[in-house]
Amino acid sequence: MIDPHNHNLGRNHILDSLSATEYNHLSPLLELVALSLGEVIYEPVDELRYAYFPITCIVSMLYVMESGASAEIAMVGKDGIIGVSLFMGGGTMPNRAVVRSAGYAYRLRAELLLQEFNRAGGCRNGALHELLLRYTQGLITQIAQTSVCNRHHFVDQQLCRWLLSSLDRLPSNELIITQELISNMLGVRREGVTEAARKLQQAGLIDCHRGRITVLDRPGLEARTCECYHVVKTEHDRLRLSPRHAQLPSYIPLYKDGLVRSESLSNRQA
Amino acid sequence: MIDPHNHNLGRNHILDSLSATEYNHLSPLLELVALSLGEVIYEPVDELRYAYFPITCIVSMLYVMESGASAEIAMVGKDGIIGVSLFMGGGTMPNRAVVRSAGYAYRLRAELLLQEFNRAGGCRNGALHELLLRYTQGLITQIAQTSVCNRHHFVDQQLCRWLLSSLDRLPSNELIITQELISNMLGVRREGVTEAARKLQQAGLIDCHRGRITVLDRPGLEARTCECYHVVKTEHDRLRLSPRHAQLPSYIPLYKDGLVRSESLSNRQA
DNA sequence: CTCAGTCGGTACGGTAACGCACATTAGGTA
DNA sequence: TACCTAATGTGCGTTACCGTACCGACTGAG
């Protein structure tokens, strides 16, 4: 069995943020598992038996509509955990978690996660408690920004955002995924993704090849994506780094004089 | 000063779910405030000084883009709390919270909220801790479903969803809001809302009149809205009612054989 | 009452994305 | 090798929504 720690595959950010004492306490309980493309971690009504800490894989939370159409709600990789409903108290979530990039993850039995989550560190809650909640706040921002992006931005921009977000969670610059799959994540037509990808390829930013996308020019993608990517990334980094109370982000996109600025709700200017 | 408890204005669900002992401990710390339309509770980088428990008001969390365009991320009324970033650990959130329906709320100083949140009940976390986290999970579902709705559903359906969600948080069947404002929440053109509202009015479901919308036929709206409303409502009720581990919802919309059902990611059928 | 400003209704050309149909090509398999 | 399927590319009519413009009507202030 491989050990990701020795193979330089990168590790899970939440686990990495634990103190040595805490990690040593937890590590014998973790089980390394290989997750393959398409594997379903949970369905809408499933009570989770495990929480997953991805290392090299990426898992998508996605909602599948009655019509069969779908949309990705959030993606989780080495930055996070699958199974927030365990410690948030709901037990289940009305969406599906599916592996969309094969790789490794640690898994932890649900009851053990809860035990660690509720373990008091001194008179307060423990480190894992704080880490998980802070990650979940970042997840909220990711979901919210996806919503905004769905509303206002072009497929081209959304594809850039999606590629960049994926890249941030992968060890290389290569994505193993078909355009059809991406279209299911973005909730658009497959042809729309093809069209957008063609533009990026013509601009020399990516190379598409039968279920494999190689990113050639990351800064180029960053220049083409919408603000949504940056908002989520900045917030994510802020929440990851700040141990207790986060410092303000250097990127402050919202102090435009838009809708509902101060007193009046109706002072909108473009 | 009015006391909402005596005026039958309804109360805040989170506070209501506390035991008598816990509520009595908290209640002297709560301050009743009147919030007026357009008031901004927090801006993206604001450290919150108070958490707000709406009673009769509705507060929207909305993101305002660089261009000035906006989109509502979630709405919070008597069902919830404004200020999740306080106990989730991030301190701030990259969006704006603004009062979009005037009314009353209790507010609680941030440090007192945190104190209560972290207060252990026996060997475990306290009731408020659990209530707040469970509410936050519902909030996640609300945000996620808004994202899905933005992607896939018509403005007509979204307007129905929005009206119904608002209605659930209001004491009467009357909304005091302009169509322009609604368009800012939904992130669409004002004319789009006018058009959709006209259809609903012609169908006899609502009555629009200069910044005032009266809902005449709630079931009619429910029949016209998309699944998104029901998903959020069902999940919300489930999370509110279940004290520890939630029972399964009676409404299970996701067991269609859509995308990424079991093994294969690419077995999509409409 | 008068007037100004807000709010809502209507129209029209433009366009991003859709639904569908079909051609092409790469890669694995017999 | 030949074949078959999955993956990608392309075209075309349709449509929901956009941007803009303009107008009528209601409301509240003076």
Side-chain angles (χ1 to χ4, degrees):
Chain A
M1 182 187 248
I2 82 160
D3 173 10
H5 290 242
N6 295 337
H7 284 248
N8 199 26
L9 291 170
R11 298 189 295 182
N12 181 277
H13 294 178
I14 294 176
L15 297 177
D16 273 6
S17 299
L18 292 169
S19 70
T21 316
E22 287 157 327
Y23 182 78
N24 289 338
H25 180 259
L26 209 56
S27 69
L29 308 176
L30 296 171
E31 182 184 354
L32 183 65
V33 289
L35 299 177
S36 56
L37 180 67
E39 218 169 301
V40 173
I41 307 293
Y42 65 78
E43 290 280 351
V45 294
D46 290 350
E47 290 275 345
L48 285 91
R49 293 170 47 227
Y50 295 93
Y52 291 78
F53 297 91
I55 306 167
T56 55
C57 66
I58 300 181
V59 177
S60 281
M61 294 166 55
L62 56 83
Y63 180 83
V64 183
M65 302 202 309
E66 294 170 4
S67 70
S70 60
E72 187 180 64
I73 288 165
M75 64 173 79
V76 180
K78 62 185 175 192
D79 55 305
I81 182 175
I82 286 287
V84 296
S85 64
L86 281 172
F87 56 84
M88 295 300 281
T92 69
M93 289 205 113
N95 54 56
R96 176 182 298 168
V98 55
V99 179
R100 59 144 250 253
S101 185
Y104 289 91
Y106 284 119
R107 74 178 186 187
L108 178 60
R109 292 187 59 84
E111 59 271 26
L112 295 175
L113 177 77
L114 269 177
Q115 200 175 307
E116 284 305 310
F117 180 76
N118 289 321
R119 174 193 301 277
C123 62
R124 290 219 313 243
N125 286 304
L128 187 63
H129 182 276
E130 186 184 328
L131 285 168
L132 289 178
L133 291 194
R134 233 178 33 237
Y135 167 72
T136 303
Q137 190 187 325
L139 186 68
I140 289 175
T141 294
Q142 189 191 157
I143 298 171
Q145 213 61 32
T146 302
S147 175
V148 172
C149 208
N150 282 347
R151 168 57 62 207
H152 288 291
H153 295 135
F154 301 137
V155 173
D156 304 45
Q157 299 174 295
Q158 293 183 48
L159 178 59
C160 290
R161 169 177 64 79
W162 193 89
L163 290 172
L164 287 167
S165 299
S166 300
L167 222 51
D168 289 339
R169 294 166 171 81
L170 288 171
S172 81
N173 63 334
E174 221 176 50
L175 291 86
I176 306 296
I177 193 163
T178 65
Q179 297 183 358
E180 161 109 34
L181 235 322
I182 297 179
S183 78
N184 290 330
M185 300 296 154
L186 296 183
V188 300
R189 282 185 321 156
R190 198 262 315 156
E191 294 90 329
V193 173
T194 301
E195 172 77 5
R198 190 183 52 73
K199 289 186 201 168
L200 296 180
Q201 186 150 14
Q202 282 179 353
L205 306 182
I206 63 173
D207 184 59
C208 296
H209 205 62
R210 255 190 119 64
R212 175 183 315 261
I213 298 178
T214 310
V215 174
L216 304 173
D217 180 1
R218 197 185 204 285
L221 286 182
E222 287 175 4
R224 289 203 175 207
T225 193
C226 46
E227 60 195 278
C228 299
Y229 171 71
H230 302 287
V231 170
V232 174
K233 182 82 162 66
T234 305
E235 181 71 354
H236 182 275
D237 292 347
R238 180 183 78 93
L239 291 169
R240 186 187 168 195
L241 294 175
S242 70
R244 187 78 201 147
H245 256 248
Q247 61 275 48
L248 297 182
S250 59
Y251 176 79
I252 304 176
L254 292 184
Y255 264 121
K256 295 283 177 175
D257 229 340
L259 160 79
V260 289
R261 181 73 178 92
S262 267
E263 282 78 10
S264 167
L265 273 164
S266 50
N267 272 341
R268 175 171 179 176
Q269 32 175 299
Chain B
M1 182 187 248
I2 80 160
D3 174 9
H5 290 240
N6 296 337
H7 284 249
N8 200 26
L9 290 170
R11 298 188 294 182
N12 182 276
H13 294 177
I14 294 177
L15 298 178
D16 273 5
S17 298
L18 291 169
S19 70
T21 317
E22 287 157 326
Y23 182 76
N24 289 338
H25 179 259
L26 209 57
S27 69
L29 309 175
L30 296 171
E31 182 184 353
L32 183 65
V33 289
L35 299 177
S36 56
L37 179 67
E39 218 169 302
V40 173
I41 307 292
Y42 64 79
E43 290 278 352
V45 293
D46 290 351
E47 291 275 344
L48 285 93
R49 292 170 49 229
Y50 295 93
Y52 291 78
F53 296 90
I55 306 167
T56 55
C57 66
I58 300 181
V59 178
S60 282
M61 293 167 55
L62 56 82
Y63 180 83
V64 183
M65 301 202 310
E66 294 169 4
S67 70
S70 60
E72 187 180 63
I73 289 165
M75 63 172 80
V76 180
K78 61 185 175 194
D79 56 305
I81 182 175
I82 286 287
V84 295
S85 65
L86 281 172
F87 56 84
M88 294 300 282
T92 69
M93 289 206 113
N95 53 56
R96 176 180 298 168
V98 55
V99 180
R100 58 145 249 255
S101 186
Y104 289 91
Y106 284 118
R107 74 177 187 187
L108 177 61
R109 294 187 59 85
E111 60 271 25
L112 295 175
L113 177 77
L114 268 177
Q115 199 175 307
E116 285 304 312
F117 180 76
N118 289 320
R119 174 193 300 277
C123 61
R124 292 216 315 242
N125 286 303
L128 187 63
H129 182 276
E130 186 184 327
L131 285 167
L132 289 178
L133 291 195
R134 231 174 38 234
Y135 167 73
T136 304
Q137 188 186 327
L139 187 68
I140 289 175
T141 294
Q142 189 190 157
I143 298 171
Q145 213 61 33
T146 302
S147 175
V148 172
C149 208
N150 282 347
R151 167 57 64 207
H152 288 292
H153 295 136
F154 299 137
V155 173
D156 303 45
Q157 299 174 294
Q158 293 183 46
L159 178 59
C160 290
R161 170 178 63 79
W162 193 90
L163 289 172
L164 288 166
S165 300
S166 300
L167 222 51
D168 289 339
R169 294 166 171 81
L170 288 171
S172 81
N173 64 335
E174 222 177 49
L175 291 86
I176 306 296
I177 193 164
T178 65
Q179 298 185 357
E180 160 109 35
L181 234 323
I182 297 179
S183 79
N184 290 330
M185 299 295 155
L186 295 183
V188 300
R189 282 186 321 157
R190 198 261 314 157
E191 293 89 333
V193 174
T194 302
E195 172 77 5
R198 190 182 52 73
K199 290 185 200 169
L200 296 180
Q201 185 150 14
Q202 281 178 354
L205 306 182
I206 63 173
D207 184 60
C208 297
H209 204 63
R210 252 190 122 63
R212 174 183 315 261
I213 297 178
T214 310
V215 174
L216 305 174
D217 181 0
R218 197 185 203 285
L221 287 181
E222 287 175 3
R224 289 203 175 208
T225 192
C226 46
E227 60 195 279
C228 299
Y229 171 71
H230 301 288
V231 170
V232 175
K233 181 83 162 66
T234 305
E235 180 72 354
H236 182 274
D237 293 346
R238 182 183 77 92
L239 291 169
R240 185 187 168 196
L241 293 175
S242 71
R244 187 78 203 146
H245 256 248
Q247 61 273 47
L248 297 182
S250 60
Y251 177 80
I252 305 177
L254 293 183
Y255 265 120
K256 295 283 177 175
D257 230 339
L259 161 77
V260 290
R261 180 73 177 89
S262 266
E263 282 78 12
S264 166
L265 272 163
S266 49
N267 272 341
R268 175 170 180 178
Q269 33 176 298

